[in-house]
Amino acid sequence: MALSHLADNLEALAEQGLYRSRRVIASPQGIKLNIDGKSIVNFCSNDYLGLANHPKVVQAFKAAVDVYGVGSGSAHLICGHSIAHHALEEELADFTGRDRALLFSTGYMANIGVIAALLGRSDSVFEDRLNHASLLDGGLMSGARFKRYGHGNMSELSAKLDNATGNKLIVTDGVFSMDGDFAPLDKLAVTAKQHDAWLMVDDAHGFGVIGEHGGGIVEHYGLSQDEVPILMGTLGKGFGTFGAFVAGSELLIETLIQKARTYIYTTALPAAVAEATRASLKIVIAETWRRDKLQKLAERFSLGAAQLGLTLMHSVSAIQPVLIGDSQRAVNLSHELLKAGFLVSAIRPPTVPQGSARLRVTFSALHEEQQVDQLLDALEKILLSA
Ligand SMILES: *Cc1c(COP(=O)(O)O)cnc(C)c1O
């Protein structure tokens, strides 16, 4: 079979500045990465709290490998569900103030599994236009009527809910992954109640990172299980490990165990990952300084960037994207920053809307203020000269 059209497609992507390629990293995740033998300051990781290579998390992982080995052997429902997984689920339920929590192997799979388990063809799903790809894919795969509303637009959402039949599920990012702003979750909870709809929040970028105790977007707004019945969080970002969970009522969790295909038909995460995550959770709870520091760094950057006249998004989180617009220009700027010793990734369509390519700057609790200033200096030199 001739696959020459694939080459044409790739060429077209390259011409539009949309070609994607990987950087090969030779060091653990952290604020300094080793890339091609050079030490680079990392400003694009989602390891917000600096836990991916924390000695206690690493130690918990190693100790658990001695107990459980590496592979989990099968799906949770066959023989892959260990004491470690079970304990983590109970601790996550406790931490989030929900009845129960259920581990998934990735956040992508959790989102697909949950939406498709809850909805069928006669139902409707309502999604914020800037939702993460996994939420959009979950909505499409569920077969439900698929409705998108403008970013945070409550009146548009209400109007769409008014016209819907069947079961209704509103789905939103908690902290928007490529913009850094918060969903109006308090208003969404009220709207959901008024329309007898379920509300699901994906808190991949808030869990562990926002809220006084790290409880994420639901803690930030003080919303209970009754108000936000489906809470999804990931463990590969703020928690520094891997995997994801869904928390909610007994009824929800039992339904997912019976019906979420991405739960049933996949291998459980390694038990050692669960044990490492239990160690992360302890740090998340105890070390509030990590969240405070992150906030300070983001504010310092946002202030400095505004003084330079850079266009920031309306973000108060550890995600502080600098809007560039043109994809190729964003890629070029990212290359220039790398030459100057800073890793900042260019985010382009279709991850973000057309014409809104950006440099997605993220912070870690392990960054120093001086590094933020150095990044600002580099941005000033590179952005304002190019
Ligand atoms: C990263 C991310 C996911 C996917 O989680 P993984 O565990 O990496 O698969 C889902 N939703 C959002 C908003 C994310 O940013």
Side-chain angles (χ1 to χ4, degrees):
M1 193 167 90
L3 294 176
S4 56
H5 65 287
L6 295 183
D8 296 343
N9 293 348
L10 290 179
E11 214 163 285
L13 284 175
E15 275 165 17
Q16 298 165 70
L18 297 179
Y19 203 89
R20 299 173 190 247
S21 49
R22 290 127 0 126
R23 265 185 208 94
V24 182
I25 310 294
S27 55
Q29 277 300 311
I31 48 162
K32 290 267 178 81
L33 294 180
N34 183 318
I35 305 177
D36 299 331
K38 225 176 123 187
S39 174
I40 301 290
V41 187
N42 182 8
F43 280 106
C44 60
S45 178
N46 299 317
D47 177 25
Y48 302 114
L49 300 178
L51 299 181
N53 191 34
H54 189 287
K56 283 188 181 158
V57 178
V58 171
Q59 189 45 46
F61 184 87
K62 285 182 178 163
V65 167
D66 286 341
V67 177
Y68 296 101
V70 177
S72 61
S74 76
H76 283 273
L77 285 166
I78 307 299
C79 59
H81 187 68
S82 70
I83 292 175
H85 296 111
H86 207 73
L88 175 59
E89 288 184 345
E90 288 178 347
E91 288 165 9
L92 286 170
D94 197 41
F95 179 60
T96 55
R98 268 57 186 165
D99 294 350
R100 282 183 67 185
L102 185 71
L103 286 174
F104 280 77
S105 293
T106 72
Y108 199 114
M109 293 167 73
N111 284 339
I112 289 178
V114 170
I115 300 173
L118 297 180
L119 299 181
R121 296 202 173 278
S122 52
D123 303 322
S124 300
V125 60
F126 302 83
E127 303 225 12
D128 189 290
R129 198 161 282 286
L130 298 187
N131 272 356
H132 188 262
S134 57
L135 293 173
L136 302 176
D137 291 354
L140 292 170
M141 282 174 70
S142 72
R145 271 174 290 240
F146 185 76
K147 322 228 173 189
R148 292 173 87 172
Y149 56 92
H151 184 46
N153 189 331
M154 290 299 110
S155 53
E156 189 186 349
L157 170 61
S158 287
K160 291 197 165 165
L161 284 161
D162 280 337
N163 295 322
T165 53
N167 292 316
K168 292 166 264 189
L169 174 66
I170 305 168
V171 179
T172 185
D173 277 29
V175 176
F176 283 85
S177 58
M178 298 300 136
D179 295 68
D181 58 334
F182 295 177
L185 204 60
D186 47 348
K187 298 195 184 87
L188 283 166
V190 172
T191 302
K193 271 261 155 23
Q194 280 168 350
H195 291 84
D196 198 21
W198 294 318
L199 176 58
M200 169 175 180
V201 64
D202 167 347
D203 204 22
H205 297 274
F207 190 61
V209 179
I210 61 172
E212 194 189 335
H213 303 98
I217 194 79
V218 291
E219 187 192 343
H220 174 80
Y221 285 110
L223 296 169
S224 65
Q225 174 174 302
D226 178 53
E227 288 156 310
V228 181
I230 308 159
L231 170 63
M232 177 279 200
T234 61
L235 306 171
K237 291 171 178 154
F239 272 63
T241 60
F242 190 79
F245 71 93
V246 175
S249 68
E250 186 73 27
L251 219 62
L252 171 72
I253 300 305
E254 283 302 318
T255 300
L256 295 179
I257 294 173
Q258 315 310 315
K259 294 188 67 178
R261 294 168 65 84
T262 55
Y263 180 78
I264 300 168
Y265 298 108
T266 201
T267 302
L269 23 105
V273 171
E275 281 298 326
T277 307
R278 295 180 70 199
S280 285
L281 178 58
K282 289 202 184 85
I283 300 169
V284 165
I285 293 170
E287 300 190 7
T288 52
W289 69 264
R290 290 176 191 268
R291 285 180 285 280
D292 298 342
K293 173 107 177 277
L294 207 48
Q295 190 65 39
K296 279 217 184 74
L297 294 168
E299 277 164 16
R300 188 178 185 91
F301 177 79
S302 150
L303 220 70
Q307 278 168 4
L308 293 179
L310 306 181
T311 311
L312 292 179
M313 320 295 279
H314 298 285
S315 167
V316 291
S317 70
I319 305 168
Q320 292 286 332
V322 179
L323 185 66
I324 302 298
D326 180 67
S327 295
Q328 190 59 57
R329 178 165 150 81
V331 172
N332 294 347
L333 292 168
S334 171
H335 283 158
E336 290 300 313
L337 283 168
L338 187 60
K339 275 196 228 154
F342 303 96
L343 186 61
V344 177
S345 55
I347 306 287
R348 295 157 285 166
T351 309
V352 292
Q354 285 298 332
S356 73
R358 63 201 66 178
L359 294 170
R360 181 176 179 267
V361 177
T362 57
F363 296 99
S364 156
L366 301 182
H367 281 127
E368 300 299 336
E369 291 191 345
Q370 194 193 358
Q371 290 170 318
V372 174
D373 297 344
Q374 287 162 350
L375 174 65
L376 284 165
D377 285 347
L379 278 169
E380 180 174 24
K381 286 201 191 87
I382 293 163
L383 254 154
L384 304 178
S385 71

